[in-house]
Amino acid sequence: MAPPAWLKESVTEVPDFPKPGIAFKDLSPLWRSSSATSRCAVALAANLPDIDAVVGIEARGFLAGIITAQRLGVGFIAARKPGKLPGPVARQNYELEYGTDGLEIQQDAISAGDRILVVDDVVATGGTAEAVCNLVEQLGGQVVGVRAIIELSELRGRDRLGQYNVSALWEVGA
Ligand code: AMP
């Protein structure tokens, strides 16, 4: 499905950034536009089951996550790079192209049975979102969905996130 005009106009594709071969989706124009940001919040928060909180992924996922949480009237929880949050924290490591990285959530942020929506700006291979879903589950939360502004369909993140309900405002390449 074609993206809405306000979204298409708000994303710049930057070739070979941050390294050769990557077509970087720059959402800076979206965040610079108050009206596009408002529309984005409405779209991200649409057609969801009941949720208790939104988890946003560092760093650009914080922006998408917090506007979604505000629109839904629920709290926002940050999934951060290791060492950024005061403990105790739960941690999940995940594979990168070269090496591994990790993400952490404060242990008291999620209670057993909490219904959590995971939000990021872009889902590419799905590895980052998968790590956060695992982290939510480690803390006893239930992932009710993964929502992104953009999904790069050719990278098949949806396959990797198969057990979760994945949706994006713009499925590039679908
Ligand atoms: P992945 O784990 O491969 O799904 O990558 C997702 C993370 O990397 C997200 O947090 C995005 O912010 C970022 N990302 C990956 N590919 C792109 C891209 N082409 N343009 C912008 N951000 C990207």
Side-chain angles (χ1 to χ4, degrees):
M1 211 167 71
W6 62 264
L7 179 53
K8 200 164 185 201
E9 286 159 10
S10 304
V11 179
T12 311
E13 187 168 292
V14 186
D16 298 317
F17 181 87
K19 54 185 181 181
I22 305 286
F24 185 77
K25 301 290 183 186
D26 182 17
L27 278 76
S28 302
L30 188 152
W31 307 120
R32 287 200 296 257
S33 161
S34 171
S35 66
T37 299
S38 295
R39 286 176 150 183
C40 192
V42 170
L44 284 169
N47 303 316
L48 287 169
D50 281 349
I51 65 161
D52 295 309
V54 170
V55 170
I57 308 174
E58 185 165 353
R60 292 184 299 268
F62 290 168
L63 304 172
I66 206 142
I67 61 170
T68 308
Q70 278 289 294
R71 175 80 191 169
L72 291 168
V74 300
F76 173 81
I77 299 165
R80 298 210 63 180
K81 297 285 168 65
K84 301 284 186 187
L85 289 169
V89 295
R91 176 169 179 160
Q92 180 74 42
N93 291 327
Y94 60 103
E95 302 291 320
L96 295 174
E97 200 177 345
Y98 301 103
T100 61
D101 207 343
L103 284 163
E104 295 178 343
I105 292 178
Q106 286 174 317
Q107 279 181 13
D108 62 0
I110 294 175
S111 303
D114 280 355
R115 295 167 56 80
I116 303 293
L117 178 72
V118 173
V119 174
D120 205 355
D121 63 337
V122 175
V123 167
T125 65
T128 311
E130 184 185 35
V132 172
C133 291
N134 291 337
L135 200 44
V136 168
E137 289 168 352
Q138 211 188 105
L139 291 168
Q142 183 193 343
V143 177
V144 296
V146 175
R147 185 156 279 190
I149 299 174
I150 292 176
E151 176 186 353
L152 303 176
S153 305
E154 285 167 2
L155 297 178
R156 311 200 71 84
R158 210 173 268 253
D159 292 352
R160 187 166 188 163
L161 295 165
Q163 60 174 308
Y164 302 109
N165 185 354
V166 180
S167 53
L169 307 188
W170 182 3
E171 292 174 35
V172 177

